[in-house]
């Protein structure tokens, strides 16, 4: 995959987990590494039963957004939009994720912002993102899950916006 021309990446996913529960989390590992990776995460999650806000500074694949699992009706899928910023710059990587699904009659929505520091030494998080591993935190992703990845080109010199 040659994403070197893009400034940002946008992933649009429709997913569900095969795990025998009602929901799991979608996880993404930039450059296929979770060893020594820290995800500084702030999220807001809401459903008809309440809201949750949190800040996590954790290792592993990180929380991105909730997705339905096998305990939900078979036709329930989440819609998630993940934007990975500055994927080819010498900066630390950041992401914005939002999504939701019908949790058997109760809406389930979430928004997550994330700073990604992966690999060792820490400066390796400034390397370009060349690979994304996408999975559920438990179980597999259903075979009928779909993923569309779009690259955002940098702004063109001389462009006029009025």
């Amino acid at each position: 995959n040659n994403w070197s021309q893009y400034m940002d990446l946008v992933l649009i996913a429709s997913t569900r987990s095969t795990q025998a529960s009602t929901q799991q989390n979608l996880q993404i590992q930039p450059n296929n590494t979770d060893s020594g990776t820290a995800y500084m995460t702030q999220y807001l999650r809401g459903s008809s039963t309440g809201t949750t806000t949190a800040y996590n500074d954790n290792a592993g694949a990180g929380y991105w957004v909730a997705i339905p699992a096998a305990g939900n009706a078979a036709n329930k899928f989440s819609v998630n939009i993940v934007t990975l910023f500055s994927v080819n710059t010498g900066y630390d990587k950041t992401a914005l994720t939002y999504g939701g699904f019908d949790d058997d009659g109760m809406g389930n929505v979430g928004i997550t912002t994330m700073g990604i520091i992966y690999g060792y030494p820490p400066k390796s998080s400034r390397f370009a993102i060349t690979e994304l591993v996408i999975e559920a935190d438990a179980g597999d992703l259903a075979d009928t899950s779909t993923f569309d990845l779009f690259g955002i080109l940098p702004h063109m010199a001389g462009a006029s916006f009025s």
Side-chain angles (χ1 to χ4, degrees):
N1 299 328
N2 183 356
W3 301 332
S4 62
Q5 70 210 40
Y6 300 117
M7 180 64 101
D8 305 323
L9 295 174
V10 176
L11 174 70
I12 300 174
S14 177
T15 58
R16 73 180 278 119
S17 169
T18 60
Q19 179 71 14
S21 62
T22 57
Q23 75 177 38
Q24 291 297 310
N25 293 314
L26 183 67
Q27 296 182 335
I28 301 174
Q29 299 172 23
N31 292 342
N32 193 19
T33 180
D34 64 0
S35 175
T37 303
Y39 295 85
M40 281 64 69
T41 305
Q42 297 176 7
Y43 67 87
L44 171 63
R45 181 188 271 176
S47 69
S48 64
T49 60
T51 58
T52 304
T53 61
Y55 170 80
N56 290 324
D57 187 356
N58 60 10
Y63 163 82
W64 291 73
V65 70
I67 62 174
N72 248 307
N75 63 344
K76 304 287 175 71
F77 283 77
S78 64
V79 175
N80 308 297
I81 300 173
V82 180
T83 304
L84 294 152
F85 297 100
S86 303
V87 297
N88 285 303
T89 65
Y91 308 127
D92 289 337
K93 307 304 178 244
T94 57
L96 171 64
T97 304
Y98 51 98
F101 65 96
D102 175 8
D103 194 359
D104 285 337
M106 300 181 295
N108 188 318
V109 296
I111 185 167
T112 305
T113 60
M114 186 176 301
I116 306 164
I117 301 175
Y118 56 86
Y120 185 83
K123 68 181 179 183
S124 66
S125 62
R126 297 181 180 132
F127 296 156
I129 293 177
T130 58
E131 181 181 4
L132 297 173
V133 173
I134 305 167
E135 57 191 13
D137 61 351
D140 295 319
L141 290 174
D143 292 343
T144 49
S145 296
T146 61
F147 304 91
D148 294 299
L149 183 66
F150 299 90
I152 307 298
L153 293 170
H155 124 319
M156 305 300 287
S160 175
F161 302 99
S162 40

